[in-house]
């Protein structure tokens, strides 16, 4: 994905960059999969500010992303690629053969029209989800469960994946994006591939920064 530079109309834009959004196919989310997102403004249950610099911003809705891959043994087609304001990876609206619709995080190599499947008997290819026991050693995976049937917890952000290093005594050895090596039961599910939008970490926000207030000590 290309990194775009802004025209430096002022000093704050001179070093600012952003990601090309040509891969996004629609700006209207699926109404049945979104809900209002009420923010706290850094305040606790008593209304007192406990976290500074948490005010303002654009209104946004929360998209329900299916990290559990609840529709199993039914093929689904990627209908749209969408921007999610709550995460740095693209999401895709998947329409299944039985009529169900879910949002899934999108890996590299999947686009509109691609078919994915969550099944114990699924083919080992990008976008398909299955138990780690069915994935060959050496493959890269994302959206990895750490407890069976709990839903994916690891490798869920832009450009992330973990490598399956070994399988032994009912556990899989996974090399996490940080380089840490962890073990997970072979019955845990994972999705084959590497998440897209990897250039997200290379964008620059320019001169943006926080304002120092009188009496405030960082």
């Amino acid at each position: 994905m290309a990194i775009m530079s802004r025209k430096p109309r002022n000093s704050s834009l001179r070093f600012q960059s952003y990601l090309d959004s040509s891969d996004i196919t629609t700006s209207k989310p699926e109404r049945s999969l979104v809900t209002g997102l009420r923010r706290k403004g850094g305040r606790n249950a008593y209304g007192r500010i406990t976290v500074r610099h948490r005010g303002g911003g654009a209104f946004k809705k929360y998209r329900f992303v299916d990290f559990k891959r609840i529709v199993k043994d039914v093929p689904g087609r990627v209908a749209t690629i969408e921007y999610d304001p709550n995460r740095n990876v693209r999401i895709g609206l998947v329409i299944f053969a039985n009529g169900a619709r879910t949002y899934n995080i999108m890996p590299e190599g999947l686009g509109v029209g691609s078919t994915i499947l969550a099944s114990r008997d699924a083919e080992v290819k990008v976008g398909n989800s299955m138990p780690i026991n069915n994935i060959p050693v050496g493959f890269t995976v994302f959206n990895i469960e750490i407890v069976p049937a709990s839903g994916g917890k690891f490798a869920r952000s832009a450009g992330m994946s973990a490598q399956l290093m070994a399988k032994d005594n009912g556990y899989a050895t996974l090399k996490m994006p940080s380089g840490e090596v962890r073990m997970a039961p072979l019955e845990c599910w994972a999705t084959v591939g590497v998440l897209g939008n990897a250039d997200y970490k290379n964008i620059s926000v320019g001169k943006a920064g926080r304002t120092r207030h009188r009496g405030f000590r960082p």
Side-chain angles (χ1 to χ4, degrees):
M1 186 173 297
I3 297 179
M4 313 294 288
S5 297
R6 293 190 182 277
K7 184 177 180 179
R9 295 186 297 271
N10 55 51
S11 297
S12 64
L13 296 180
R14 185 165 303 278
F15 303 104
Q16 193 174 106
S17 60
Y18 61 96
L19 288 176
D20 180 24
S21 58
S22 59
D23 59 323
I24 297 175
T25 61
T26 182
S27 59
K28 293 183 179 180
E30 176 69 23
R31 292 185 62 182
S32 62
L33 297 175
V34 298
T35 186
L37 187 63
R38 185 173 181 178
R39 290 175 291 185
K40 307 300 181 183
R43 290 164 174 81
N44 62 10
Y46 297 100
R48 301 175 184 135
I49 294 178
T50 56
V51 181
R52 291 177 177 269
H53 316 293
R54 289 293 179 92
F59 289 101
K60 52 189 178 182
K61 293 184 177 181
Y62 182 78
R63 278 76 167 165
F64 293 106
V65 177
D66 179 20
F67 293 112
K68 289 188 175 183
R69 300 296 294 265
I70 56 176
V71 183
K72 292 184 171 58
D73 302 316
V74 179
R77 181 181 60 85
V78 178
T80 61
I81 303 293
E82 301 180 21
Y83 167 74
D84 188 346
N86 306 293
R87 63 192 77 253
N88 56 19
V89 66
R90 301 289 190 238
I91 60 174
L93 176 64
V94 181
I95 302 178
F96 293 89
N98 60 4
R101 299 185 174 211
T102 65
Y103 274 132
N104 288 17
I105 50 180
M106 288 288 101
E108 287 284 352
L110 282 192
V112 173
S114 299
T115 301
I116 62 174
L117 176 66
S119 172
R120 293 183 178 273
D121 302 321
E123 180 185 355
V124 183
K125 69 174 187 177
V126 174
N128 283 358
S129 183
M130 63 203 74
I132 298 176
N133 192 34
N134 296 355
I135 302 174
V137 172
F139 273 59
T140 54
V141 294
F142 65 92
N143 191 35
I144 307 160
E145 291 182 340
I146 200 67
V147 175
S150 65
K153 297 294 189 295
F154 291 102
R156 303 195 321 189
S157 61
M160 293 292 104
S161 67
Q163 186 175 17
L164 180 57
M165 305 294 289
K167 293 187 282 188
D168 187 35
N169 295 327
Y171 283 84
T173 302
L174 296 160
K175 186 177 182 181
M176 296 295 171
S178 63
E180 177 188 7
V181 176
R182 298 194 63 138
M183 299 185 73
L186 291 175
E187 281 302 307
C188 290
W189 285 57
T191 307
V192 179
V194 179
L195 283 172
N197 214 21
D199 282 331
Y200 179 84
K201 62 183 179 182
N202 296 324
I203 62 174
S204 171
V205 295
K207 296 174 66 176
R210 65 184 183 183
T211 303
R212 296 179 62 89
H213 297 279
R214 181 179 300 177
F216 172 68
R217 295 181 179 179

